[in-house]
Amino acid sequence: MTSPFVTSAWLAERLSDPNIVVVDGSWHMPNSARNAQAEYLDGHIPGAVFFDIDAIADTDTNLPHMLPSPADFARAVGALGISQDMTIVVYDEVGLFSAPRVWWTFRAFGARDVRILEGGGPQWRAERRPIETGLVTRRPAEFRAHLNPAAAAAFETVAARSRDSASQIIDARPAPRFHAEAPEPRAGLRPGHIPGSLNVPVSLLTEHGMLKSPEALRNLFAERGVDLARPIITSCGSGITAVTLALALEQAGAENVAVYDGSWAEWGARPDAEVES
């Protein structure tokens, strides 16, 4: 299996390669008091374009950063100068938080080669590698987008799998939120979790801003009752860390993993969705 990660040394040697595009996929929780786009303008990896997770999304729904249509995605990333045949290297300024979401989105729409920068912006900066400021613009490109229907699971699918147990549903939210012991950061959502789901908090998957080894991940999932041979649907608060969980599952050996795009932002708001606490 080809690693989804590249090192900062690998990228530093290839920054001038016209077939490689660097993407700042930073995004922060609504209550974090951080502005990812402003931080990008203040300093980013040279040549990096900014992928706005909240803008390159389905703007016809009140759910946060849902996958856009193929046409809308193609238009947005084409304007950033990205084609489906480039090597796309995504990073974020936490280390490994929102970059997997952008990695997954590009893959879902048919990008040929998408990687994640190991350690992200913090690792790059710690190594005193070059930083530039301001907005980067690239020559527009054509991205031929085709959505892989197996990448994302809709509410109806998750509700059915919750009842029939055909798939394991795994939630990446912190344990207090999963067990309804802490409030959700978004207003109007009921506390609790999808009936029958398991909890593997995303904080358990990483060390020092990097994903744990496949062996460590396999041990963690076994301890949590996850069967890697079964179909799996991942969930979280709004579809960001659910992808980090999906990435970890793939690295551990799972082959059938889908992301519940609406996640708890949808499930916790729907009166017809059953909730366990």
Side-chain angles (χ1 to χ4, degrees):
M1 178 176 62
T2 301
S3 173
F5 294 100
V6 296
T7 65
S8 53
W10 183 96
L11 180 59
E13 293 175 359
R14 295 165 175 81
L15 278 181
S16 61
D17 188 332
N19 293 316
I20 293 177
V21 57
V22 184
V23 177
D24 184 334
S26 298
W27 178 90
H28 303 296
M29 293 289 289
N31 59 355
S32 69
R34 292 183 65 177
N35 184 316
Q37 190 160 19
E39 290 180 10
Y40 162 82
L41 294 173
D42 284 343
H44 51 78
I45 294 176
V49 295
F50 183 73
F51 186 105
D52 189 335
I53 286 177
D54 287 325
I56 305 177
D58 182 356
T59 56
D60 292 329
T61 175
N62 60 358
L63 295 173
H65 40 253
M66 295 284 285
L67 285 175
S69 69
D72 286 346
F73 180 81
R75 188 178 307 111
V77 300
L80 292 176
I82 304 173
S83 79
Q84 75 283 346
D85 294 325
M86 292 176 172
T87 293
I88 303 163
V89 180
V90 187
Y91 75 97
D92 66 54
E93 289 291 357
V94 173
L96 189 70
F97 179 55
S98 56
R101 171 73 191 196
V102 179
W103 166 83
W104 172 78
T105 301
F106 272 107
R107 289 208 315 169
F109 283 112
R112 177 184 60 82
D113 185 18
V114 194
R115 308 297 181 94
I116 299 168
L117 180 62
E118 194 171 57
Q123 179 77 12
W124 184 272
R125 294 169 188 272
E127 295 171 353
R128 300 178 181 269
R129 298 192 184 275
I131 294 291
E132 70 176 7
T133 61
L135 181 67
V136 172
T137 56
R138 296 169 52 90
R139 179 178 298 176
E142 180 186 11
F143 192 108
R144 295 186 293 277
H146 305 280
L147 180 61
N148 173 10
F155 171 84
E156 293 76 15
T157 299
V158 179
R161 298 295 81 83
S162 174
R163 291 190 296 268
D164 62 23
S165 300
S167 299
Q168 284 191 303
I169 302 171
I170 310 176
D171 193 320
R173 289 177 299 157
R177 287 166 58 191
F178 180 86
H179 293 296
E181 296 166 352
E184 289 295 310
R186 289 180 173 81
L189 302 181
R190 292 176 293 165
H193 58 264
I194 299 169
S197 59
L198 302 174
N199 184 215
V200 182
V202 71
S203 60
L204 301 180
L205 307 176
T206 60
E207 281 183 331
H208 309 300
M210 299 183 189
L211 199 66
K212 291 181 178 178
S213 69
E215 181 180 8
L217 292 170
R218 282 190 289 271
N219 291 336
L220 170 64
F221 290 132
E223 292 169 2
R224 293 276 166 159
V226 177
D227 183 353
L228 298 175
R230 291 179 60 189
I232 295 171
I233 298 172
T234 64
S235 181
C236 64
S238 66
I240 300 290
T241 58
V243 180
T244 306
L245 177 55
L247 169 64
L249 286 161
E250 287 187 12
Q251 291 299 288
E255 296 183 355
N256 189 341
V257 183
V259 173
Y260 176 23
D261 200 15
S263 284
W264 200 253
E266 179 177 36
W267 193 278
R270 290 187 59 142
D272 58 337
E274 187 179 351
V275 171
E276 282 185 352
S277 58

